[in-house]
Amino acid sequence: KKRMAELRDELLFKQPDGTHLGDCPICCLPLPLDTTKSILMACCCKLICDGCDFANQMREMKESLHPTCTFWRRPLPELHEEANMNAMKRKR
């Protein structure tokens, strides 16, 4: 009975190998199903996990850098129109 309970728990609480959202392009871990725990970068349209975004923000604060894209490390767009233009370029 104990072994059956252990196997049941393994099946119930096993983390999925991936999600329909894919993997974070930086750490290659599956993106969480909870969309509040990931961020869409407006400049490159990449979905990044909060852990990688937080690590980038800490690096920028530590080195006194301007905010950059977590994936490309380019300056973030300052205007909403600029972000929309980048998104349209990516869709071509």
Side-chain angles (χ1 to χ4, degrees):
K1 284 186 174 185
K2 183 179 179 183
R3 179 67 181 147
M4 283 179 46
E6 288 173 0
L7 290 173
R8 181 178 167 274
D9 286 349
E10 270 184 44
L11 289 172
L12 274 176
F13 300 110
K14 181 182 175 189
Q15 294 295 316
D17 293 332
T19 67
H20 67 283
L21 298 172
D23 297 337
C24 174
I26 297 172
C27 65
C28 299
L29 292 174
L31 288 167
L33 293 173
D34 184 1
T35 55
T36 62
K37 295 183 180 178
S38 60
I39 184 168
L40 179 69
M41 300 306 294
C43 55
C44 61
C45 297
K46 297 276 187 191
L47 201 57
I48 308 291
C49 71
D50 273 353
C52 291
D53 186 50
F54 180 74
N56 185 54
Q57 289 177 10
M58 294 304 295
R59 180 188 64 85
E60 291 168 351
M61 284 177 31
K62 185 177 179 182
E63 298 175 13
S64 301
L65 301 172
H66 292 287
T68 59
C69 171
T70 305
F71 188 73
W72 293 109
R73 298 231 172 129
R74 293 183 185 151
L76 292 173
E78 294 180 15
L79 302 173
H80 188 67
E81 291 81 22
E82 186 180 349
N84 286 339
M85 289 300 289
N86 288 341
M88 285 191 275
K89 286 181 190 176
R90 297 283 302 162
K91 289 182 182 180
R92 287 188 207 173

